[in-house]
Amino acid sequence: MAEDGAGPFGRPWSDLPRELADHMRPHLDEVADDMIQEIRTRVREYDRPGDGAYSGTMRQAVERVLHYFVDRVGDAGHDSGPVADFFRAIGRGEAGEGRSLDAVHTAMRVGGMVAWRRITEGATVLEVSPGTLGAVGEVMMQFQDELATAAAEGYAQAKAAVAGEMQRRRKRLLDLLFADPPVGPEAIADLAAAAHWPVPRTIAAVALGRDGHGARQPAFPPDVLVDLTRRTPSLIIPDPDGPGRANVVDRSLSGRLAVVGPTVPVAEAARSIQWARKTLGLVERGVIEADSGVIRSVEHMSTLILFQDEELITSLAELRLAPLAHLRAGQQDRLAETLLAWLQSGRNANEVALRLHVHPQTVRYRLRQLEELFGDQLMDPDLRFDLEIVLRARALLTDQAGERVPPAAREAVGDSGEVVTFRR
């Protein structure tokens, strides 16, 4: 705040005759009474005749403003810090009460009008020149602007502090909800109340992929708990299956890798985030494709089951696919692909040919090879089930590594040894 002057369009306080202060001081109590009466009449929020403490605070504020103004007229370098701090405190108080600054601004305008009326009346008696009167009017407006700015600063500080504390409470609530084993419902309810988060019936947790530096931060509805600072940035979405909620979530997460866990009761939030993180891990490895916007774990449960214990699935694959182990890698790939298609097609050779885009005769040749390698195992429904499990996992991992080229687009050595070109 300037000590002796205003901004580029304001009038310096030093332009005012210092003797004006001496003429104003004897009338400050009367002016204060007029201001308080007018403010109470015109600003409903300040009309509290039965509240002695509030009336005392308002008189203190009015008197501080008047005395500071007159002191600064008498000394352009008068310290503006105390009155500015006082109005910052007023701004913080209004924010703390959940009010806007509208009433403060209105009261300042009403008080300014009363002061200006008394000044113009006194100027007539003292025969103050129009130029001097105009200078007084300018510095009064500057002064009001300074006080309004100080109140706004205090208001913003308080709002930021409240928002920061609320955000910390919400992050702590997210931690409690994700705790495994879960914490008691009473602790959740208490912190949820402190965080102004109505406890819903169900939730879904969301795991976010980390974006590069400078990526746009998504905007979420106010009832969504968010912590983007976690190792895996995470959310909790209340009532995710409610009307229109899926679209809201998709819009909020647009453009960002996000996995929504299953919908669960609030007490099982840890389970939802665990599945979301597992799904996200498979997406980041390329096992699950990420080309369809927001990913939902429930749409990939069979893949999640397959990769729940990869050591176990590897051991099962070594056991069930042992008949292929002595073959070259290319032969293993072709026969594994054919066997999986055969199992998925209800053991129909023609449908396998359509799936793989190869000639039916080629499929039959491969199936004869498989019968020779696996023998009666292909007739046992339990073993066929095991084979489909390990072949599905093998196919997903092969796609992830980028080693298996679609049959319809490759040139490779055919089953009988000749080079065969498969067209799209």
Side-chain angles (χ1 to χ4, degrees):
M1 212 174 284
E3 290 297 326
D4 182 47
F9 303 106
R11 179 73 68 102
W13 287 78
S14 57
D15 282 2
L16 302 181
R18 294 187 179 183
E19 59 269 19
L20 282 178
D22 296 330
H23 293 296
M24 293 177 180
R25 276 196 181 90
H27 307 286
L28 292 184
D29 287 343
E30 298 173 26
V31 176
D33 290 339
D34 288 350
M35 278 187 176
I36 292 169
Q37 182 59 43
E38 195 72 15
I39 289 170
R40 283 177 172 169
T41 300
R42 297 201 181 193
V43 187
R44 180 172 53 84
E45 291 85 347
Y46 292 164
D47 184 18
R48 304 184 187 182
D51 190 340
Y54 194 85
S55 297
T57 300
M58 184 163 65
R59 174 165 287 277
Q60 182 187 18
V62 169
E63 289 179 350
R64 278 199 181 199
V65 169
L66 289 173
H67 281 279
Y68 172 77
F69 181 80
V70 173
D71 288 343
R72 196 167 176 185
V73 171
D75 176 8
H78 188 72
D79 183 15
S80 62
V83 74
D85 289 342
F86 183 74
F87 269 80
R88 288 190 189 97
I90 289 176
R92 288 193 293 270
E94 293 297 288
E97 294 293 330
R99 295 188 293 264
S100 72
L101 288 176
D102 291 347
V104 173
H105 292 156
T106 303
M108 289 171 63
R109 287 194 297 271
V110 170
M113 288 189 296
V114 171
W116 179 244
R117 184 167 65 238
R118 295 299 297 263
I119 287 171
T120 54
E121 290 170 356
T124 303
V125 175
L126 296 173
E127 298 182 353
V128 175
S129 70
T132 299
L133 191 59
V136 173
E138 284 191 48
V139 296
M140 278 188 63
M141 287 188 286
Q142 291 169 211
F143 183 47
Q144 282 187 301
D145 187 59
E146 290 175 7
L147 299 183
T149 298
E153 289 172 356
Y155 190 87
Q157 291 166 0
K159 282 292 187 182
V162 169
E165 177 60 26
M166 195 61 64
Q167 186 61 27
R168 284 190 291 273
R169 291 175 185 173
R170 286 183 160 228
K171 287 183 178 181
R172 175 60 181 150
L173 178 57
L174 199 98
D175 290 338
L176 288 186
L177 289 167
F178 287 163
D180 189 16
V183 301
E186 297 83 4
I188 295 294
D190 289 346
L191 188 51
H196 296 176
W197 190 69
V199 178
R201 186 177 59 84
T202 60
I203 61 94
V206 179
L208 300 178
R210 286 202 172 273
D211 286 346
H213 179 70
R216 179 185 66 85
Q217 293 297 327
F220 302 105
D223 62 345
V224 174
L225 297 179
V226 182
D227 187 357
L228 301 182
T229 64
R230 303 172 73 89
R231 184 172 63 179
T232 300
S234 306
L235 320 174
I236 283 184
I237 302 169
D239 299 320
D241 300 328
R245 293 291 282 177
N247 291 335
V248 171
V249 172
D250 289 356
R251 284 197 302 271
S252 298
L253 298 172
S254 176
R256 182 157 187 166
L257 176 58
V259 177
V260 181
T263 298
V264 296
V266 173
E268 298 178 24
R271 179 165 66 88
S272 185
I273 193 61
Q274 286 168 5
W275 282 110
R277 289 171 183 161
K278 289 178 185 292
T279 308
L280 177 63
L282 294 177
V283 171
E284 291 175 336
R285 289 172 56 186
V287 175
I288 294 176
E289 294 184 2
D291 57 357
S292 58
V294 176
I295 298 158
R296 288 174 166 78
S297 293
V298 293
E299 297 174 0
H300 302 277
M301 294 302 280
S302 60
T303 301
L304 288 166
I305 292 170
L306 279 178
F307 287 88
Q308 178 69 5
D309 189 331
E310 293 190 43
E311 288 186 6
L312 186 60
I313 202 72
T314 298
S315 297
L316 182 61
E318 290 174 353
L319 176 65
R320 294 297 179 233
L321 299 181
L324 302 179
H326 67 284
L327 302 177
R328 299 191 310 273
Q331 288 179 302
Q332 288 185 28
D333 287 345
R334 286 192 295 275
L335 290 177
E337 180 183 60
T338 301
L339 180 54
L340 177 59
W342 180 71
L343 292 168
Q344 292 175 328
S345 304
R347 294 172 286 169
N348 184 307
N350 290 329
E351 188 172 336
V352 172
L354 291 173
R355 277 175 177 254
L356 301 183
H357 303 284
V358 297
H359 195 280
Q361 190 59 38
T362 301
V363 171
R364 294 188 182 93
Y365 175 77
R366 293 181 188 177
L367 291 176
R368 285 195 295 272
Q369 286 183 290
L370 290 166
E371 288 174 359
E372 292 173 4
L373 290 167
F374 286 88
D376 292 341
Q377 293 183 57
L378 298 182
M379 304 306 295
D380 186 323
D382 291 334
L383 293 179
R384 286 201 304 270
F385 180 74
D386 286 357
L387 282 169
E388 185 167 355
I389 288 174
V390 297
L391 288 168
R392 281 177 179 269
R394 185 183 191 278
L396 288 169
L397 288 172
T398 305
D399 285 344
Q400 167 206 348
E403 296 171 355
R404 182 166 65 87
V405 181
R410 73 187 177 202
E411 179 179 280
V413 177
D415 298 290
S416 59
E418 78 278 16
V419 174
V420 179
T421 300
F422 296 96
R423 296 180 298 172
R424 291 184 183 276

